């Protein structure tokens, strides 16, 4: 009873905090940027991380197994993964260009887990025999961390494509523009100072400078985050193969989940290959990453919706009115 109450509190606390973070970020985009609000947003994401961590630990203690046995728990873990990715630039003392992607992703996944799944899915159950293995933590955690990183990187590539193919570049000159302020935050003042360099040049020079700087940073962070996600995905697939041999007697069974995981790995391997060829970088690699965004959702949700194959224990039911 105590664990259930604590879990309920932490669930709503983390969701409330992340919702406030989203509101704060919107405020910094719609009005003049306030340093205090930006700091509050960062502290809110850190508080969200600890709240979700407490939630996962509470379920772990109460269920006596690592909380990755069903889709609800995996979504909570995915939301936790987004909060980790948010803090990576902070650990490396870089400006945080990922907050506009990670914060909404975290609130979306946690909101869907809380309100979009049936109540039965929220309950922790005894693990099925296939999940009763020490490989559970390694395989599933690596796969979910890879999904979080690859989704963030792919969304950055999508933003890169949108900006690249945007014909009306006037929007990149407005100080309250959503995309510019979302991905630059603290860089706005620096870029405004640079405007004086172009005051005697063509009106399009400064506009193109904004566009160039934004696309360059989107491409850079997309590559870094996808590279990290690809490492996690490779570890997850390899550990899953070992686990499959232990549980089913074969390293690879061409199960739908395994097949789509391999397709996902192949797509992002192609992406990384395009990054090694300078002529294919930029738009071409971003297109591959955008395709990968759709493939990840098929692998993660599509197979669960069908409820087929050896991973059918991950299927779920949506709530109904």
């Amino acid at each position: 009873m105590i664990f259930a109450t604590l879990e309920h509190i932490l669930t709503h606390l983390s969701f409330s905090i992340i919702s406030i973070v989203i509101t704060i970020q919107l405020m910094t985009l719609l009005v003049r940027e306030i340093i205090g609000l930006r700091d509050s947003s960062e502290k809110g994401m850190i508080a969200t991380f600890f709240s979700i961590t407490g939630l996962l630990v509470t379920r772990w203690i109460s269920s006596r197994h690592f909380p990755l046995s069903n889709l609800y728990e995996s979504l909570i873990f995915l939301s936790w993964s987004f909060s980790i990715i948010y803090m990576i630039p902070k650990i490396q003392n870089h400006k945080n260009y990922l907050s506009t992607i990670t914060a909404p992703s975290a609130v979306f996944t946690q909101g869907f887990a809380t309100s979009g799944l049936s109540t039965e899915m929220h309950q922790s159950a005894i693990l099925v025999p296939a999940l009763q293995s020490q490989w559970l933590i390694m395989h599933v955690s690596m796969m979910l961390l890879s999904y979080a990183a690859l989704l963030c990187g792919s969304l950055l590539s999508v933003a890169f494509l949108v900006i690249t193919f945007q014909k009306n570049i006037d929007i990149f000159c407005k100080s309250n523009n959503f995309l510019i302020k979302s991905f630059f935050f603290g860089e706005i003042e620096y870029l405004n100072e640079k405007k004086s360099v172009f005051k005697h040049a063509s009106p399009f020079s400064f506009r193109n400078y904004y566009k160039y700087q934004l696309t360059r940073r989107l491409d850079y962070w997309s590559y870094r985050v996808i590279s990290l996600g690809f490492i996690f995905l490779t570890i997850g697939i390899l550990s899953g193969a070992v686990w499959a041999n232990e549980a089913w007697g074969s390293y690879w069974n061409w199960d739908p989940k395994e097949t789509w995981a391999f397709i996902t790995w192949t797509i992002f391997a192609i992406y990384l290959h395009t990054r090694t060829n300078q002529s294919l970088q930029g738009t071409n690699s971003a297109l591959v990453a955008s395709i990968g965004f759709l493939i990840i959702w098929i692998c993660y949700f599509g197979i669960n919706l069908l409820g087929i194959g050896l991973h059918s224990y991950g299927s779920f039911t949506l709530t109904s009115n």
Side-chain angles (χ1 to χ4, degrees):
M1 183 64 181
I2 296 177
F3 287 115
T5 302
L6 181 59
E7 180 183 328
H8 180 78
I9 293 174
L10 289 173
T11 299
H12 288 82
L13 178 63
S14 59
F15 185 76
S16 299
I17 294 175
I18 193 66
S19 299
I20 294 173
V21 169
I22 297 295
T23 304
I24 292 175
Q25 289 187 351
L26 288 175
M27 291 175 62
T28 61
L29 298 176
L30 298 176
V31 299
R32 171 173 284 185
E33 192 171 3
I34 303 175
I35 296 178
L37 285 179
R38 188 168 68 249
D39 293 340
S40 298
S41 175
E42 294 176 354
K43 293 176 182 178
M45 285 300 296
I46 295 175
T48 300
F49 168 77
F50 285 110
S51 297
I52 300 178
T53 301
L55 171 60
L56 292 172
V57 171
T58 300
R59 287 186 72 92
W60 193 347
I61 296 174
S62 62
S63 63
R64 295 185 175 85
H65 62 72
F66 196 70
L68 284 175
S69 60
N70 56 34
L71 186 65
Y72 171 76
E73 292 176 345
S74 74
L75 283 169
I76 296 298
F77 190 91
L78 185 63
S79 180
W80 180 77
S81 301
F82 284 127
S83 64
I84 289 181
I85 295 174
Y86 173 89
M87 291 188 291
I88 289 177
K90 299 293 294 181
I91 295 175
Q92 298 180 344
N93 294 322
H94 291 301
K95 291 186 181 297
N96 200 335
Y97 304 104
L98 303 177
S99 59
T100 307
I101 298 295
T102 53
S105 298
V107 73
F108 171 78
T109 52
Q110 190 165 355
F112 180 76
T114 305
S115 306
L117 300 178
S118 61
T119 306
E120 291 75 13
M121 285 292 296
H122 295 187
Q123 306 301 319
S124 180
I126 299 175
L127 291 178
V128 298
L131 295 179
Q132 296 177 8
S133 171
Q134 67 272 21
W135 290 101
L136 172 66
I137 299 177
M138 171 66 77
H139 171 62
V140 184
S141 62
M142 286 296 101
M143 293 300 293
L144 289 174
L145 282 170
S146 72
Y147 290 158
L150 293 175
L151 285 171
C152 287
S154 298
L155 284 174
L156 291 175
S157 291
V158 171
F160 173 88
L161 289 175
V162 171
I163 294 170
T164 300
F165 291 108
Q166 177 58 256
K167 295 181 180 179
N168 183 10
I169 63 175
D170 289 340
I171 61 173
F172 298 102
C173 297
K174 297 178 180 179
S175 60
N176 290 329
N177 179 262
F178 178 82
L179 286 174
I180 293 176
K181 296 192 72 177
S182 297
F183 293 105
F184 274 83
F185 285 106
E187 296 283 324
I188 297 299
E189 291 83 357
Y190 169 76
L191 291 176
N192 285 335
E193 292 176 2
K194 287 289 183 179
K195 186 175 182 179
S196 60
V197 177
F198 300 96
K199 63 182 180 180
H200 298 299
S202 169
F204 289 98
S205 298
F206 184 61
R207 300 173 185 176
N208 290 331
Y209 176 77
Y210 262 128
K211 184 176 181 180
Y212 169 74
Q213 288 289 326
L214 180 55
T215 54
R216 188 183 67 173
R217 295 185 186 280
L218 287 174
D219 189 52
Y220 170 77
W221 279 104
S222 176
Y223 172 66
R224 293 199 62 178
V225 175
I226 288 178
S227 298
L228 178 64
F230 185 79
I231 294 174
F232 288 146
L233 182 62
T234 302
I235 297 174
I237 291 177
L238 292 177
S239 60
V242 176
W243 187 8
N245 183 64
E246 177 185 286
W248 302 315
S250 175
Y251 287 101
W252 196 264
N253 301 280
W254 291 108
D255 176 73
K257 197 82 167 182
E258 295 175 352
T259 302
W260 280 99
F262 176 72
I263 294 173
T264 303
W265 187 91
T266 303
I267 289 293
F268 286 102
I270 295 173
Y271 168 84
L272 294 176
H273 176 70
T274 61
R275 299 289 306 192
T276 63
N277 190 330
Q278 191 169 4
S279 64
L280 295 177
Q281 291 181 12
T283 303
N284 293 304
S285 59
L287 283 171
V288 176
S290 301
I291 295 173
F293 177 79
L294 299 176
I295 299 298
I296 294 172
W297 284 116
I298 294 175
C299 181
Y300 184 48
F301 270 114
I303 305 303
N304 294 92
L305 279 170
L306 295 176
I308 59 176
L310 297 171
H311 293 77
S312 59
Y313 48 78
S315 60
F316 63 96
T317 303
L318 297 176
T319 56
S320 58
N321 297 327

